Amino acid sequence: MNIILFGAPGAGKGTQAKELTKKYGIPQISTGDILREAIANQTPLGLEAKKLMDGGNLVSDDIVNGLVGTRLKKADCEKGFILDGFPRTVAQSESLDKILENLNKKIEKVIALDVSDDEIIERITGRRVSKKTGKIYHIKYNPPIDEKEEDLEQRADDNRETVMKRLEVYNKQTAPVLDYYKKQGKVFNVDGGKSLEEITKNIIEILEK
Ligand code: AMP
């Protein structure tokens, strides 16, 4: 089960990836999470990436391709993997094909989560992440039972200004990735505006078809 979760920032890729990881026991590979970890550890890569991420811009293809190439070689990807937030450019898709070819693997399905721009802005500005568990919440639509206990924080790039930039980058640089996979007949669209549970159910139906 080698799949890509595709969609605009805030479409629900991370939330759904976590559900699928639980169900299928395959890892979520989020380039955003890997980069945020590098920032937290103040590595040279993290320091370079932070400026771009805070401005809502993409990190260079070479950097993320390298990160994903290393990650996909690990043993836990044997049974499959869920890519979340990668590929984000057509060049990254081409690089991914080469990486997978060398590993004798291929992408089977691309799940595209469709969400309107207005909803994206509402979701991202209200998104909070638990410092304790990494679980994703929304202050209005999906608040934790005990806010203090979860120790919520807001991502540095989850403010209104940066969201507008991220949407622009998505429409210009990332949306063409979908055509790349459409040509290969691998894209399955899911209405990302439904409830978390319904979306998970729809994705599972597609994966088990
Ligand atoms: P995400 O957590 O997927 O929303 O990613 C947060 C930020 O990390 C993005 O806005 C980019 O700056 C950077 N990033 C994550 N994945 C990629 C990627 N595949 N290519 C380039 N930049 C990325």
Side-chain angles (χ1 to χ4, degrees), residues 31-32 35-36 52-53 57-59 64 85-86 88 92 155 157 166:
T31 40
L35 291 166
R36 277 185 290 277
L52 291 161
M53 289 168 75
N57 291 297
L58 294 185
V59 174
V64 284
F86 179 93
R88 255 179 160 97
Q92 290 178 20
R155 275 172 47 173
D157 58 348
R166 285 160 71 197

Side-chain angles (χ1 to χ4, degrees), residues 8 18 27 32 40 43 46 55 63 71 107 117 119 128 139 184 187 197 203:
K18 285 184 175 60
T43 66
I63 288 182
R71 183 65 187 84
I107 292 298
D117 282 6
E119 172 116 17
R128 300 291 184 275
I139 39 169
Q184 302 175 23
V187 176
E197 295 78 12
I203 296 176

Side-chain angles (χ1 to χ4, degrees), residues 2 4 8 11 37 46 50 56 66 71-72 74-76 83-84 101 107 136 141 148 163 175 182 184 187-188 199:
N2 304 335
I4 295 174
E37 203 183 313
K50 183 169 169 41
R71 183 65 187 84
L72 285 173
K74 295 208 171 149
D76 64 341
L83 285 170
D84 156 15
E101 205 182 304
I107 292 298
I136 304 161
Y141 304 121
K148 274 232 167 68
V163 171
K182 267 190 195 153
Q184 302 175 23
V187 176
F188 296 82
I199 299 168

